[in-house]
Amino acid sequence: GRRRLQILKALADPLHHYSKFSTGNAQTLSSAADSLNITGSKNVNRNITDTSQGKNKTREALLAFHRQHYRPNNMTVVIVGPQTLDTLQEWVAPRFAAIADRDEKPRDSMTDIEKLIDDAASDAPKDSFGEATPAYNPAFKPELQGGSWPVLLTTLPLRSVRKLILNFPLPSVRS
């Protein structure tokens, strides 16, 4: 699960979006609060916390991310059921119509943490349907793992389990 994901992220190209932080819990967020860095392909590496107020700044960064990205125009609602389309719409529309849209803040009125979140979000690869296929940029490259593949990765499980997982990095199938 999560431990294996973190190992894979550590093996990935540090400038690739796959290697960025994506999961955690109270313990990992507390320890990350001392030195929370966001590194991207633009070589952004800015510290948003200090040791005295790490938890407050981590919370502020999470709230800034929420304000910027959890907006109705970034959401899609999918509902499936045997009911008629009118019935489904009657059930769903009132629940989601109450979500207030927020206008995007101009960059000059953003806090430092909001600018950091904005920079990190704009660093994500453009990979939406309807857009041109992005250039192939694999997260895993032979030169990062000593120059040769395949790579055998073994981990010590926390409980008795036998599992074989094979990963094959493939280019995009979109053309």
Side-chain angles (χ1 to χ4, degrees):
R2 189 181 308 175
R3 291 173 62 223
R4 188 173 49 253
L5 174 65
Q6 288 308 116
I7 292 169
L8 286 174
K9 286 177 170 291
L11 291 173
D13 181 351
L15 298 179
H16 194 276
H17 66 276
Y18 182 79
S19 67
K20 290 186 177 183
F21 177 82
S22 63
T23 61
N25 57 32
Q27 182 181 358
T28 59
L29 287 174
S30 293
S31 63
D34 291 336
S35 61
L36 181 60
N37 292 319
I38 295 179
T39 304
S41 61
K42 295 177 186 172
N43 274 337
V44 175
N45 190 3
R46 293 188 286 171
N47 192 318
I48 65 166
T49 65
D50 61 31
T51 54
S52 63
Q53 296 182 356
K55 289 182 182 180
N56 290 338
K57 297 235 179 177
T58 301
R59 182 178 189 281
E60 189 179 336
L62 290 170
L63 291 173
F65 180 87
H66 184 272
R67 281 190 306 273
Q68 182 168 345
H69 297 288
Y70 284 78
R71 307 164 39 130
N73 60 341
N74 289 343
M75 296 179 188
T76 301
V77 176
V78 177
I79 183 166
V80 177
Q83 297 77 10
T84 66
L85 182 59
D86 290 337
T87 302
L88 293 173
Q89 186 172 358
E90 184 180 311
W91 290 350
V92 172
R95 289 178 171 81
F96 290 92
I99 300 173
D101 194 10
R102 295 179 293 271
D103 293 329
E104 288 191 41
K105 250 184 168 178
R107 189 161 174 90
D108 59 351
S109 67
M110 291 181 179
T111 65
D112 287 343
I113 289 180
E114 288 171 334
K115 287 178 184 174
L116 180 67
I117 298 298
D118 189 53
D119 290 344
S122 65
D123 192 33
K126 304 293 184 220
D127 195 15
S128 296
F129 286 94
E131 292 181 7
T133 303
Y136 180 55
N137 176 25
F140 301 98
K141 299 173 184 161
E143 59 269 17
L144 295 173
Q145 284 87 35
S148 65
W149 277 3
V151 173
L152 173 63
L153 177 66
T154 59
T155 58
L156 182 63
L158 296 176
R159 63 176 190 266
S160 180
V161 63
R162 292 184 179 165
K163 187 184 282 191
L164 172 66
I165 298 173
L166 302 172
N167 290 317
F168 297 93
L170 299 173
S172 174
V173 295
R174 291 181 26 215
S175 56

